[in-house]
Amino acid sequence: MTAPPPSHLPQVHTRGDKRSLEFQPGMVQSEMRLSRPDHLVLSYARAMMCFVLFQPRPEHIVMVGLGGGSLAKFCYRYLPHSRITVLELRADVIALREQFAIPRDNARFRIIQADATAYMAGLAGAADVLLVDGFDAEGLPPALGSAAFYADCRRALRPGGVLVANIFSYDPQYGPMLRRLRETFQGRICWFRGIAGNNRILFAVKGGKPSPALAMQRKVARSHGLGFALFNRLLAHWIVLRLSWNPALPSGVRPRTGSDP
């Protein structure tokens, strides 16, 4: 693996209450509010959290791509019964975890520096949810949209598990990636129309026996969610708010950031 060019090194920018991670100027990979580090600022991150409609209480969540840790922090705090494993290729991104208030490794949370395509091949029936959001300065690496990678993801999921893939709708490879995903998961895919602008969030469910996740996939596929982009965006907001306000959340569950003792 060769080092990225200097222009593609991760850049941290703080403007008022917001801190962002960028690989190229103006291309925001992740964004955080300093006053609310666990808050989901970007619409695509809220859209990916719709996986709880398919898997409301996942035991193990595996994430591909750390970025500024928005999804990792949110899941760690508001899904207290879930164990979270984050796969990140770049050491220079992991090194920024304290600046983005990302929890320290512990019994429920760990970050592994690894090539996700190689690591995923070694998993089998290990995850309830896979979140694939592994963008770099050039976009989504081709390996993360390959037939081999999707097949490894399917094997890594438990029955009824869900893969959530973030893909740009204008990516020239969007069509081929969609076909590969559909073939790998035997047509059990869906998406919410217009939920996150140019970010197309695809949900694929591992089939087998009937499951709540499969039932939800069929329901969403019929009309692409609630049918209208605005309603789907409001749905994502509602899901995030519902999780944030969950009165059942244990009061002692709080993320351990790099500044914790």
Side-chain angles (χ1 to χ4, degrees), residues 198-252:
N198 289 324
N199 293 80
R200 179 65 59 81
I201 312 300
L202 303 173
F203 297 80
V205 177
K206 184 171 182 176
K209 297 180 180 179
S211 68
L214 274 176
M216 180 58 66
Q217 179 270 321
R218 295 188 186 102
K219 183 177 181 180
V220 173
R222 281 197 292 268
S223 56
H224 297 306
L226 299 179
F228 297 95
L230 175 60
F231 292 169
N232 285 331
R233 291 195 293 270
L234 291 173
L235 173 65
H237 274 283
W238 175 79
I239 287 171
V240 168
L241 287 173
R242 186 191 67 176
L243 289 170
S244 302
W245 293 344
N246 185 358
L249 183 70
S251 60

Side-chain angles (χ1 to χ4, degrees), residues 8 11 21 66 83 102 110 125 140 148 162 164 167 174 201 233 259:
H8 292 174
Q11 305 166 39
L21 174 67
L66 174 65
R83 181 166 54 91
I102 296 171
R110 65 173 177 158
L140 184 70
V162 59
V164 187
I167 303 174
Y174 173 75
I201 312 300
R233 291 195 293 270
S259 59

